[in-house]
Amino acid sequence: MLPTLALMIFAGCMVALQAPINAALARTVGTLESSFISFTVGAVFLGLMSFALGRGQVLRLAETPAWQWVGGVLGACMVFSTVLAVPRIGALATGVAMILGNLFMATVIDHFGWFGLPSVPLDGRRALGLACMLAGLVLVMRR
């Protein structure tokens, strides 16, 4: 459990770096273009990693339902949104708002057990945690 938690903290650091880097790129090439470049470079990187370290299962894509392909679109929307937000509200507010949205949707997914996950009902502690995150966003947004 601890290695997975450390991995996710590391991933959160990478997302915090990604947003201002993509925003800087956008100042030169454009907002939509920087999002495209970011995703293209990421796709090439993952393609090379899949080729070198993957299990060779990519050809089974045709066996999957089409709704499972939407993850890339959702990721692209996230990258594009951060490129727009960072110059306007800053990296910290962007990150906190994105984490709040992530936690809200994760709460809904857990509560209803969507996507084959076990149901984890929303209780008072979880609701309080979300309220604290919202309060954190309010504090971060104050100028």
Side-chain angles (χ1 to χ4, degrees), residues 21-80:
I21 289 170
N22 286 343
L25 180 62
R27 287 193 296 271
T28 304
V29 301
T31 303
L32 193 56
E33 295 83 356
S34 71
S35 301
F36 172 73
I37 291 166
S38 175
F39 250 72
T40 300
V41 171
V44 169
F45 173 76
L46 287 174
L48 293 172
M49 293 295 290
S50 294
F51 179 74
L53 304 172
R55 299 183 338 208
Q57 301 296 316
V58 74
L59 296 177
R60 294 189 64 198
L61 179 64
E63 299 173 24
T64 63
W67 68 265
Q68 292 179 356
W69 301 8
V70 77
V73 174
L74 298 175
C77 290
M78 184 276 300
V79 168
F80 181 71

Side-chain angles (χ1 to χ4, degrees), residues 89-113:
I89 64 174
L92 178 60
T94 298
V96 173
M98 186 167 53
I99 290 168
L100 181 60
N102 183 297
L103 293 176
F104 172 76
M105 186 51 62
T107 301
V108 171
I109 292 166
D110 274 356
H111 182 77
F112 292 106

